[in-house]
Amino acid sequence: MASVTLKSVSKRWGSVTAVDDVSLDIADGEFMVLLGPSGCGKTTTMRMVAGLDDPSEGDILIGDRVVNDLAPGDRDLAMVFQNYGLYPHMTVAENIGYPLKVARVGKAERTERVRAAAARVELEAYLERKPQALSGGQRQRVALARAIVRTPRLFLMDEPLSNLDAKLRVSMRAQLKHLQHELATTTIYVTHDQVEAMTLADRVAVMSKGKLQQVGAPLDIYNRPANVFVAGFLGNPSMNLIAAQAEGGRLIHAAFSLPADTVRPGKVFVGQRPEDMKVTEPEKGDFRGEVFSAELLGDAALITVRLNGDLVAVKAPKDVRARMGDVVGVSFDPAMLHLFDGQSGERLADRNGEAGKVTPFPQARGERHP
Amino acid sequence: MASRGKSLIGKVPLVILQLAIAFLVLAPFFWMLSVSLKPANEPFAIPARLWPDNPTLENYILAFRPEFRRYFLNSIIVSGATVLITVPLALLAAYSLTRYQFRILSVFLAAVILAQFFPAGAMIIPIYKMVKAANLLDTYASLIIAYITVTLPVAIWMLRGFLTRVPKTLEEAAAIDGARPLRAFFDIVIPLARPGIVATTVFVLIVTWQEFLFALSFTSTKEMRTLPVGMNDYIGQYGIRYGELMASSVMVSLPVIVIFFFLQRQFVSGLTAGAVKG
Ligand SMILES: Nc1ncnc2c1ncn2[C@@H]1O[C@H](COP(=O)(O)OP(=O)(O)OP(=O)(O)O)[C@@H](O)[C@H]1O
Ligand SMILES: [Mg+2]
């Protein structure tokens, strides 16, 4: 068990900067999820922690030891590769047991532990097969089993569930969460699936274009995104972001005007999540607009309304009757507004005066999920 | 039915072509075998017989003289030593060429292939002079060194082709699993490159087993002669002893054929399928 610290870590290949000055503290036993769109540097970050790539700049610490010059095998970590990395000439059982074999674990114990790891990922029936004869999801589970067969200080998992079907993914997710809780092993987990991030993470680190955007507990990030990127990336459907002007204590837009007392004058983005907005009678809302589309989501309806050039999505009760072309009113919830600087995209101070980016750290184990 | 009949007819030229090629390849072997089994007076009997009326092993018994056994042993020593040195050396060279990227290495790789542009005939005189200067004439070492020189470049290139197809992720996975580079090389790289190693071994073996020019130039005594040179014994000033020549040819070819037969299943490709996604 160990904490992991990244100190101003960068990785460059020629003119490509894959990871740009990332600093991150991961507490002992914490489940940290790296979340971000494709190509944002998640895998690269993880490979540097693993020791497969050397950082161009910065230090990586596991525990309180700088590991920059330590070979992967000396870092006492297990990793699930995004592309599996299974040994094709070995059976499933040999694949899972290879780390134990290298560590000279006796044959009987090895067999037992391989069986237990395979059982966790529901692969007992396939132990004698070669990876070639497995489906993508099965291969991914072999990779997972090869990681959890050991008890390292650190788990690194690069999109380990990406190739599973929806049902298996949910059950493996629960398995992983349970396992991590049981072993209390520090885990860095890469995904671009925000549901996975929300459900698994103690804390989420959101990345974009090699830069760390925000680090915090899933709910904190969801409730108080630090900038427009995080605001737009988290949440499905994503947050509405409307360009407006702050002036004399109000937010002015061609179609509406809202009170906002603490905001300095200038360009701003007004952000609000679809579930915080309401569809009203045309004359009662903050603004009115034509319905662009109305989709039934099941438990709710997603109504998209034209606002000048923009589209604003509103999550409404499923019995709201709005058809394409109807004119409806839309109202904001003033308590749930997110305001971002029009230039930098950074979150502006909230009503109560706090800046948006601060998240308490580290949370002690046990009080994370009351 | 109609279309099936048509496709069968369409195959006829192909089958004929295959049979013709098979005939061209196999006919000399058949003739070699046939002649080797004919009694001394029969090879030139008219009309010629495809197969002897009274097959006999007397040619084999005559051919398997002490000298022949000596040549055989020499060939095994020279070919075996060349394989044992060339293949591991080539494996290490090819591996470092695929895994470590330095500009100087690509220059080295180009130089390696450049060496192949010189035909053996052009190199034989300088090499002969070197061998002589080193006092190595008429030794196994002279041939082994020459054969390594000739086979190593090709072996490096062959193995490099196979090794580039072993995904780097697998060695990284092994490194994470705690294996040192050498261990990963033996546990992961070598098993996955096995078809390439087998192919390279067979290549080196065949090249050295049948080599004539160097063997003729560097050896002068019967004690050091290899099979291809030694078989000249049957071509005398006053005639060629075809029966014995063919019998010894069969005996020379047999090991190669046997090795091929047992190793052919090792040339399995696609062994790395399923290792990584995509
Ligand atoms: N070996 C390399 N050489 C040059 N550029 C690289 C190399 N590896 C990665 N990159 C670049 O670095 C950036 C980050 O890549 P990385 O694999 O870390 O992304 P990722 O966040 O894991 O994406 P994904 O979700 O698609 O897996 C990409 O733009 C990629 O093209
Ligand atoms: Mg990736």
Side-chain angles (χ1 to χ4, degrees), chain A residues 119-194:
Chain A
R120 283 212 191 258
V121 297
E122 300 171 32
L123 270 181
E124 299 122 299
Y126 302 94
L127 282 175
E128 294 315 314
R129 287 211 202 165
K130 293 271 176 73
Q132 213 174 334
L134 298 178
S135 74
Q138 289 163 342
R139 288 178 198 174
Q140 199 154 40
R141 283 180 282 154
V142 178
L144 206 52
R146 187 174 59 186
I148 64 178
V149 78
R150 289 192 279 163
T151 44
R153 292 195 300 168
L154 176 62
F155 280 131
L156 302 175
M157 302 191 177
D158 198 349
E159 311 206 18
L161 307 183
S162 61
N163 259 36
L164 306 185
D165 63 50
K167 189 160 162 266
L168 197 55
R169 187 180 310 197
V170 172
S171 82
M172 294 306 301
R173 205 160 70 198
Q175 274 279 4
L176 267 183
K177 182 81 189 162
H178 181 79
L179 183 79
Q180 200 268 341
H181 190 82
E182 193 178 285
L183 301 176
T185 306
T186 316
T187 302
I188 305 179
Y189 186 103
V190 163
T191 182
H192 54 239
D193 178 340
Q194 38 174 307

Side-chain angles (χ1 to χ4, degrees), chain A residues 254-266:
Chain A
F256 62 83
S257 147
L258 296 169
D261 15 286
T262 59
V263 182
R264 269 183 286 117

Side-chain angles (χ1 to χ4, degrees), chain A residues 206-243:
Chain A
V206 185
M207 291 182 73
S208 169
K209 295 182 183 150
K211 287 201 173 71
L212 203 56
Q213 304 292 321
Q214 188 175 7
V215 184
L219 257 187
D220 289 349
I221 290 188
Y222 187 83
N223 289 338
R224 298 162 53 77
N227 57 36
V228 286
F229 173 81
V230 178
F233 189 72
L234 254 83
N236 189 15
S238 59
M239 184 186 284
N240 295 302
L241 290 165
I242 305 160

